[in-house]
Amino acid sequence: MEGNWKAYIFALVLGVAVPWMVCALGGGSLTPAPTCEQIHITVSEEKQTPTIAVLMQEKTQQMPLTEYLTGVILGELPADFAFEAKKAQAVVARTYALRIASGDRHAGAVCTDSGCCQSYRDPAVADDKAVQEARKAVLETEAMVLTYGGKLIDATYFSCSGGVTEDAVAVWGTEIPYLQSVASPGEEHAAHYSDTVSFTFAAFESALQRDLPEDRSQWLGTVNYTDSGSVASMIIGGVSYKGTQLRKLLGLRSTVFEMCMEEDAVVVRTKGFGHRVGMSQYGADAMARTGSDFAQILSHYYQDVQLETDWYELTNP
Ligand SMILES: [Zn+2]
């Protein structure tokens, strides 16, 4: 009888006190950490269904985050993309939106311009199956975000890299540890994996906003490349241009390009579409089609980041 009583106390210590100690130590705090059960019940319904201010046609409207993210997936990805790629996009879009909304770009809102924030397509006018799948991708990754050093990352993404992504520093001049160049194979099915664009000589000068030497053999000079193969700089008509500058002036799809002179035109062949920093959407689709899940896709394109599974709880303890 006495032995049973001791065994009961021992079990109680093991079952209650030890998990409490592990929880308290794991939380890195001197105050007792709540048990998982307590954490669960402190999260209100309201916190689990947050809203976001969306700037649309010059008006700001408050929208459930779930609905907004569903519209972003519909606007950003082709409907036939693999489901795990859609889930990766949901996490990235949520991280990106929450970071923008906490800044001053649009006074706490996000806009629907893909060139500024993120594209958005109203689920009410989209194909039913595509809407269901986009919403499922959002719900299956509910409250998941990417962080680095405890803060939301700058979750940049783009359409297609042309085979390899770019370092943030090569495009924006700032070194960002989690935005480094990585291989991105399998993107050949992208609509703009490679493109060719021709400029008449007059159009080329007009785009560069200057007159070039009369001797056209002097137009195209030395090219320097980044480690990931995009044009870092190029001399044209004796003047050095950054690759990013040429992309903008000539309206190129990416900074991975080759330029050559033909009899009556300057021809530019590009690979990839977008700034090529962060997650490649077509690369994510290719990874998903060869068996990667959304977490593997995210850790490939964003290095050493943390996939937080309940951001709202962390920010609303
Ligand atoms: Zn914007």
Side-chain angles (χ1 to χ4, degrees):
M1 188 73 183
E2 190 185 335
N4 286 344
W5 183 80
K6 279 182 181 168
Y8 176 71
I9 293 294
F10 183 66
L12 194 68
V13 167
L14 273 183
V16 177
V18 171
W20 179 84
M21 285 162 68
V22 169
C23 236
L25 290 170
S29 165
L30 291 176
T31 53
T35 64
C36 294
E37 213 170 358
Q38 283 169 328
I39 289 173
H40 184 70
I41 59 169
T42 55
V43 180
S44 69
E45 282 300 308
E46 195 183 350
K47 282 173 185 168
Q48 288 190 331
T49 55
T51 59
I52 190 164
V54 182
L55 181 60
M56 211 180 286
Q57 292 162 349
E58 296 178 14
K59 284 184 188 163
T60 300
Q61 56 176 293
Q62 207 68 27
M63 195 182 281
L65 187 55
T66 302
E67 280 311 288
Y68 165 71
L69 293 173
T70 300
V72 172
I73 291 176
L74 293 169
E76 287 285 350
L77 297 183
D80 64 354
F81 261 34
F83 185 59
E84 290 297 316
K86 291 183 181 180
K87 284 169 72 176
Q89 178 73 65
V91 176
V92 168
R94 183 180 297 108
T95 306
Y96 191 88
L98 291 175
R99 184 170 156 127
I100 294 292
S102 65
D104 54 9
R105 185 185 293 184
H106 299 299
V110 287
C111 81
T112 55
D113 174 2
S114 64
C116 175
C117 292
Q118 308 191 96
S119 181
Y120 173 86
R121 183 153 190 242
D122 186 351
V125 298
D127 171 70
D128 280 352
K129 187 168 174 285
V131 173
Q132 277 171 22
E133 212 171 88
R135 190 167 285 132
K136 191 164 177 252
V138 173
L139 293 175
E140 284 192 13
T141 61
E142 182 65 51
M144 291 187 193
V145 294
L146 297 171
T147 63
Y148 185 89
K151 291 180 179 167
L152 291 170
I153 70 162
D154 192 3
T156 60
Y157 61 90
F158 58 90
S159 176
C160 160
S161 76
V164 57
T165 73
E166 186 53 283
D167 294 324
V169 68
V171 177
W172 297 306
T174 306
E175 184 69 48
I176 300 178
Y178 52 82
L179 294 177
Q180 303 293 323
S181 171
V182 292
S184 186
E187 297 180 348
E188 289 78 3
H189 63 306
H192 298 293
Y193 181 75
S194 60
D195 276 300
T196 302
V197 57
S198 295
F199 296 85
T200 64
F201 297 131
F204 191 67
E205 288 182 298
S206 168
L208 294 179
Q209 299 160 13
R210 59 182 275 248
D211 292 328
L212 293 170
E214 221 162 279
D215 178 4
R216 293 199 186 103
S217 68
Q218 294 177 21
W219 281 22
L220 306 185
T222 312
V223 185
N224 288 308
Y225 297 93
T226 68
D227 290 343
S228 78
S230 45
V231 173
S233 65
M234 178 175 183
I235 294 179
I236 297 178
V239 173
S240 180
Y241 294 85
K242 285 183 178 175
T244 48
Q245 196 181 2
L246 287 173
R247 182 182 173 218
K248 201 171 177 184
L249 288 169
L250 301 173
L252 304 177
R253 293 204 191 275
S254 95
T255 54
V256 182
F257 61 82
E258 287 176 350
M259 215 179 272
C260 64
M261 298 284 278
E262 289 195 348
E263 202 172 307
D264 56 357
V266 177
V267 176
V268 189
R269 293 189 181 87
T270 56
K271 267 177 98 177
F273 187 16
H275 51 61
R276 300 172 50 250
V277 180
M279 186 182 79
S280 162
Q281 292 168 322
Y282 274 91
D285 184 49
M287 282 185 74
R289 285 174 196 274
T290 51
S292 297
D293 67 18
F294 76 101
Q296 290 168 320
I297 293 169
L298 295 170
S299 65
H300 176 70
Y301 286 107
Y302 306 100
Q303 298 78 51
D304 303 321
V305 298
Q306 185 78 28
L307 176 62
E308 304 284 0
T309 55
D310 201 344
W311 180 248
Y312 313 136
E313 188 176 313
L314 286 174
T315 51
N316 298 289

